[in-house]
Amino acid sequence: MKTSRLFPASPYTLIALLLLVLVLAACSGGGADSWAGVSIDSDTGSIYVSYDKHVVAINPTSGATQWEYKNDDAKFFAVPVVHEGILYIGDYKGRLHSLNAETGEKLWVYAPEKDTLIGPFSLDAGDRVISGVAVDSNLVYFGLGSRNLMAVSRETGEEVWTFKTNHGVWATPLYVKANPDVNSVATVYVASLDHYLYAVNAQTGKELWHKDMGGAIPGQPAYDPVRNWLYVGTFVSEVIAVDLDTHQIVDRYEAENWVWGGPVYEDDVLYFGDLKGNLYALSVTDDGFKQKWKKPVADGAIRSTPLLTEDLIVVGSKDKHVYALKKADGASQWSKKTKGEALTELVFVSAGSEDTDSPAVVVAGTGDRERLLVAFVLATGEEQWHYNDKD
Amino acid sequence: MLDLIINPFSTILLFLYQILGGNVVLAIVVFTILVRAATYPLTIKQQRSAKAMQELQPELAKLKEKYKNDREKMAQAQMEMYRQYGINPLAGCLPLIVQLPILMGLYRAITATLAATPNELLDLSGRLWVPQLSSVVPLENRFMWLNLAVPDPLYLLPVLVVITTWLSQRLIMPPTPSNGSGDKSADQAAQVSRQMMTIMPLMFGFFSISFASGLSIYFIGSNLIGIGQYALMGKVSIKNLLGRPSESAPVPAAKTTGPAEKTKHEPAVEAATEAPLKPKRGLSQPVVTAGKNKRPGVYDSRAERAKAKNKAKS
């Protein structure tokens, strides 16, 4: 009686192999869950949330669903952006969807062209859209997750130009109008994971200049119209000020960890968070940065750009909390638990009229589908409503 | 717990990428070699244990026959046999289980550093032991026609993954023939083994189609390096490719060994060639493998111990 079982035949080994298969399937696919992207139409007050394979419009006072748009074969990581009644959002297959913001009706979908090699086979792997969009009167600008900035027609969704970068563009591009006073053309500023900040002619897609920031730039740049400066956060834990006139770096501030969410500028103060859970406020002068305050706020990463209201700065964190602090000194106002990770930008909904008696709220997107959106009363942090995606 | 593996792996991968001139494929290959080298003792242990178990199969079959109606006694006798030969029946798969978290750590490190998804990249920030390596995050994702953060659109890498996985299995593991003895469990094991030989390459091919092609580079590199590693250990048999029993699988090899090769074998194996179904050794006899002690760097003291024990008894 002879067998030559080396190792596959052992039941223990088979169990181990099957375990390996399960584990690989679990851990490789685990990271593909999207996060909720939230935005608001400042004209109508409607809230839009993108999550998994759909986009939903929600009533800002009740949290009721207004319409829902389903994408069949790709998830959304990008935040929906509404401009003049049209909603734009990119999906995880590199397409850009244009929808009627009032009804959810699809207007057009831009899909990047692929050169096929033989039959369905292509050398082009396709791409994904992680960034939001910037919009001007004619074009929509958005980054692709693996590389390049695209510009498509607002009317037709046809590709107008492509600007090549050497890595992905995860940051929402920043469109700055032409300024005849300083003889500048309309410019799109693109922050890329290839470490460069690019200035691109918005009409032609030609590069105007670029500057090495020393690390990947995942978040949208903030524009300072007073000084004509741009502020970016990087994966080398820096916030950098760039003078758009000279194209030179003015100052750098070193944070404790990666700065993913773009900084936000208001009244000579720059606010941002880092992935260690710290919040920062920097005073900006013509000489550069000076730390105003720094607070260890959260136990998890602060990925999104902070939301500024009249007195408060509000952020969500990976530690499943939303935090509100005083803008002036960083003093804590309230913190509230969310069921899922709060990784995306929050939106502010101002108080309704006296008739409706609805208070001002901040709406946070979370990673938990049962409480995908949670609206907190701005003054107290009390929960006003939540949106359950499973209903 | 898994962080203990993912964090250093991510750091090492980024460090390799930095010192290897930003060549991500080279970094993954060197990384794979380092992991293979680090787990070499486990591989050796697994090999030895599997070999020892293999050699005991004739004795086990006899026990099964003897105690076919009494499972309890069968189990006792089996354990006694393992004890006598100093074998831990789990030792063959324990190293494999130990390697599972290592594999998981590798996958996570590769997908995170390539920024395959935003969530994975987000987790990477707290994993780096050397914060200065943040400057090379994320890794360059372009290699030839590939975007390493997404699956290969040409399906060439998945095909290569399937082929190299199949090759490594065929070259390293000898075919598992049904012994035709009527031993149900042995037949089932042979059948399952053959199924696994088919399923595993397809399974890894499926992963390759579904996930970042940087992972496929790792799969292919790991398979090729594994074949090379086993070849250096003298464990690779081209005959396995043709479905013929290998010399490294002693008993089936005895059936096909030519005269010239016979001279290399120990007498016990030659006897097996002439009368394969006849038991060669009793329980009190040590198991001696063809050419075992002649293989450089591999020495099995169990046979020596068993010999000494028998000598003392007699």
Side-chain angles (χ1 to χ4, degrees):
Chain A
M1 277 201 229
K2 288 171 288 184
T3 56
S4 84
R5 286 184 275 178
L6 190 48
F7 53 77
S10 152
Y12 302 108
T13 309
L14 290 179
I15 290 167
L17 285 172
L18 288 172
L19 204 63
L20 166 69
V21 167
L22 289 172
V23 160
L24 287 183
C27 66
S28 301
D33 286 339
S34 67
W35 48 46
V38 192
S39 65
I40 187 165
D41 183 348
S42 51
D43 296 332
T44 64
S46 289
I47 293 171
Y48 302 92
V49 58
S50 55
Y51 186 75
D52 198 28
K53 291 180 180 173
H54 54 226
V55 181
V56 183
I58 292 166
N59 183 302
T61 49
S62 65
T65 303
Q66 291 174 330
W67 55 255
E68 182 172 2
Y69 173 77
K70 286 188 178 170
N71 197 16
D72 293 333
D73 58 349
K75 292 182 176 181
F76 293 109
F77 261 94
V79 65
V81 174
V82 181
H83 184 83
E84 296 177 353
I86 310 289
L87 183 146
Y88 303 95
I89 184 165
D91 72 19
Y92 219 57
K93 283 205 167 176
R95 295 173 301 208
L96 184 71
H97 302 247
S98 167
L99 312 176
N100 181 320
E102 199 178 332
T103 62
E105 178 197 357
K106 181 167 73 182
L107 302 176
W108 49 256
V109 176
Y110 161 77
E113 272 186 28
K114 280 186 185 179
D115 293 329
T116 54
L117 198 66
I118 306 165
F121 298 105
S122 168
L123 283 176
D124 189 349
D127 214 321
R128 54 247 161 94
V129 181
I130 294 162
S131 81
V133 305
V135 188
D136 72 6
S137 54
N138 295 315
L139 303 177
V140 186
Y141 310 92
F142 63 100
L144 291 177
S146 296
R147 58 195 64 220
N148 300 346
L149 174 77
M150 311 297 297
V152 300
S153 162
R154 271 182 67 180
E155 289 297 317
T156 62
E158 286 174 0
E159 186 177 317
V160 177
W161 52 256
T162 301
F163 174 75
K164 292 189 186 305
T165 59
N166 292 318
H167 212 301
V169 177
W170 289 20
T172 299
L174 177 74
Y175 174 81
V176 176
K177 286 179 182 171
N179 186 350
D181 296 342
V182 293
N183 202 24
S184 71
V185 296
T187 304
V188 180
Y189 294 98
V190 191
S192 171
L193 298 183
D194 67 8
H195 299 195
Y196 285 97
L197 174 69
Y198 298 93
V200 180
N201 184 312
Q203 292 301 310
T204 64
K206 301 290 180 197
E207 181 181 312
L208 300 172
W209 54 268
H210 66 264
K211 188 76 184 169
D212 187 354
M213 297 288 113
I217 318 163
Q220 188 185 31
Y223 181 56
D224 173 355
V226 179
R227 297 175 182 81
N228 201 29
W229 287 4
L230 217 56
Y231 306 101
V232 294
T234 70
F235 276 175
V236 286
S237 308
E238 285 184 332
V239 167
I240 300 172
V242 181
D243 187 329
L244 299 183
D245 296 326
T246 63
H247 317 155
Q248 297 303 310
I249 290 173
V250 180
D251 200 5
R252 296 172 184 267
Y253 174 85
E254 193 172 343
E256 280 192 33
N257 207 303
W258 297 4
V259 181
W260 188 314
V264 55
Y265 173 83
E266 185 186 74
D267 298 335
D268 287 338
V269 182
L270 197 67
Y271 302 91
F272 61 93
D274 71 15
L275 294 193
K276 201 176 178 184
N278 297 302
L279 259 187
Y280 303 81
L282 306 182
S283 295
V284 182
T285 67
D286 289 347
D287 294 329
F289 298 129
K290 188 180 174 192
Q291 183 178 301
K292 189 177 176 191
W293 53 259
K294 172 188 166 189
K295 299 285 177 186
V297 172
D299 290 331
I302 295 175
R303 193 210 69 87
S304 62
T305 298
L307 171 74
L308 300 184
T309 66
E310 196 174 338
D311 300 317
L312 300 178
I313 173 170
V314 192
V315 288
S317 168
K318 191 174 164 62
D319 71 1
K320 302 178 182 178
H321 279 79
V322 171
Y323 299 89
L325 298 86
K326 281 274 188 192
K327 274 193 323 194
D329 55 7
S332 174
Q333 280 299 102
W334 52 262
S335 71
K336 291 292 171 184
K337 195 168 170 46
T338 57
K339 217 173 164 188
E341 296 173 350
L343 293 172
T344 53
E345 279 71 21
L346 293 87
V347 296
F348 173 68
V349 181
S350 52
S353 62
E354 285 182 13
D355 299 341
T356 56
D357 198 28
S358 56
V361 294
V362 286
V363 180
T366 80
D368 178 51
R369 296 188 73 152
E370 285 185 9
R371 296 166 66 80
L372 190 62
L373 291 183
V374 187
F376 298 101
V377 175
L378 179 65
T380 62
E382 294 302 309
E383 182 180 319
Q384 180 76 356
W385 54 260
H386 70 263
Y387 171 73
N388 183 344
D389 187 52
K390 285 188 171 174
D391 286 345
Chain B
M1 163 66 185
L2 210 55
D3 291 348
L4 291 174
I5 298 163
I6 299 172
N7 297 0
F9 279 15
S10 303
T11 306
I12 292 167
L13 185 58
L14 289 172
F15 175 71
L16 289 173
Y17 176 78
Q18 194 174 44
I19 63 169
L20 293 172
N23 188 324
V24 65
V25 171
L26 195 57
I28 291 174
V29 169
V30 173
F31 188 41
T32 311
I33 291 170
L34 289 179
V35 171
R36 282 272 178 182
T39 55
Y40 183 73
L42 286 176
T43 309
I44 289 286
K45 197 173 178 188
Q46 185 182 13
Q47 276 282 320
R48 283 181 181 164
S49 180
K51 194 85 177 169
M53 287 295 288
Q54 183 187 9
E55 288 160 2
L56 275 187
Q57 287 310 311
E59 310 302 335
L60 280 172
K62 277 195 291 184
L63 281 185
K64 279 176 187 167
E65 181 62 28
K66 188 175 176 184
Y67 298 111
K68 61 185 172 189
N69 296 324
D70 191 338
R71 292 173 70 91
E72 200 176 324
K73 277 193 176 167
M74 165 69 200
Q76 281 174 356
Q78 228 173 343
M79 291 315 292
E80 172 62 23
M81 179 190 277
Y82 291 148
R83 194 193 55 75
Q84 192 174 355
Y85 285 96
I87 291 172
N88 178 357
L90 289 177
C93 76
L94 274 179
L96 198 66
I97 292 172
V98 170
Q99 286 180 56
L100 274 178
I102 293 175
L103 282 172
M104 286 166 61
L106 269 170
Y107 298 139
R108 293 285 298 274
I110 289 170
T111 53
T113 51
L114 277 169
T117 70
N119 284 327
E120 283 167 307
L121 187 58
L122 185 67
D123 283 340
L124 186 63
S125 69
R127 298 194 180 283
L128 302 184
W129 286 359
V130 183
Q132 288 76 10
L133 289 171
S134 297
S135 64
V136 295
V137 175
L139 302 184
E140 167 61 43
N141 56 21
R142 195 58 61 117
F143 177 73
M144 296 169 75
W145 75 94
L146 295 166
N147 174 357
L148 297 171
V150 298
D152 175 13
L154 277 184
Y155 301 102
L156 191 59
L157 287 192
V159 170
L160 285 175
V161 166
V162 171
I163 291 172
T164 55
T165 308
W166 180 82
L167 262 180
S168 71
Q169 285 188 335
R170 295 292 293 195
L171 286 169
I172 292 165
M173 304 174 192
T176 314
S178 166
N179 58 22
S181 64
D183 180 351
K184 267 187 179 177
S185 64
D187 286 349
Q188 276 175 351
Q191 197 180 355
V192 172
S193 176
R194 279 193 295 271
Q195 284 171 349
M196 290 306 288
M197 288 266 193
T198 310
I199 291 169
M200 289 307 285
L202 294 177
M203 191 64 79
F204 280 97
F206 171 74
F207 286 142
S208 186
I209 287 173
S210 309
F211 304 126
S213 45
L215 277 182
S216 303
I217 299 284
Y218 166 71
F219 287 144
I220 294 166
S222 182
N223 286 334
L224 294 178
I225 292 163
I227 290 170
Q229 187 182 20
Y230 277 76
L232 287 174
M233 291 160 64
K235 302 283 182 186
V236 165
S237 170
I238 299 293
K239 286 182 179 176
N240 290 343
L241 266 186
L242 308 169
R244 289 181 193 163
S246 155
E247 283 173 48
S248 61
V251 180
K255 286 180 183 174
T256 56
T257 305
E261 289 165 317
K262 267 187 186 177
T263 55
K264 295 178 189 169
H265 293 169
E266 297 290 335
V269 177
E270 286 199 24
T273 314
E274 287 152 15
L277 293 176
K278 193 180 168 188
K280 303 297 169 313
R281 311 173 191 97
L283 275 179
S284 58
Q285 282 184 293
V287 180
V288 181
T289 312
K292 175 183 280 184
N293 292 335
K294 291 174 186 172
R295 191 172 298 123
V298 180
Y299 176 78
D300 192 339
S301 62
R302 289 188 303 272
E304 292 298 322
R305 284 203 304 274
K307 236 181 217 174
K309 200 183 267 180
N310 288 335
K311 216 174 186 180
K313 274 184 189 171
S314 63

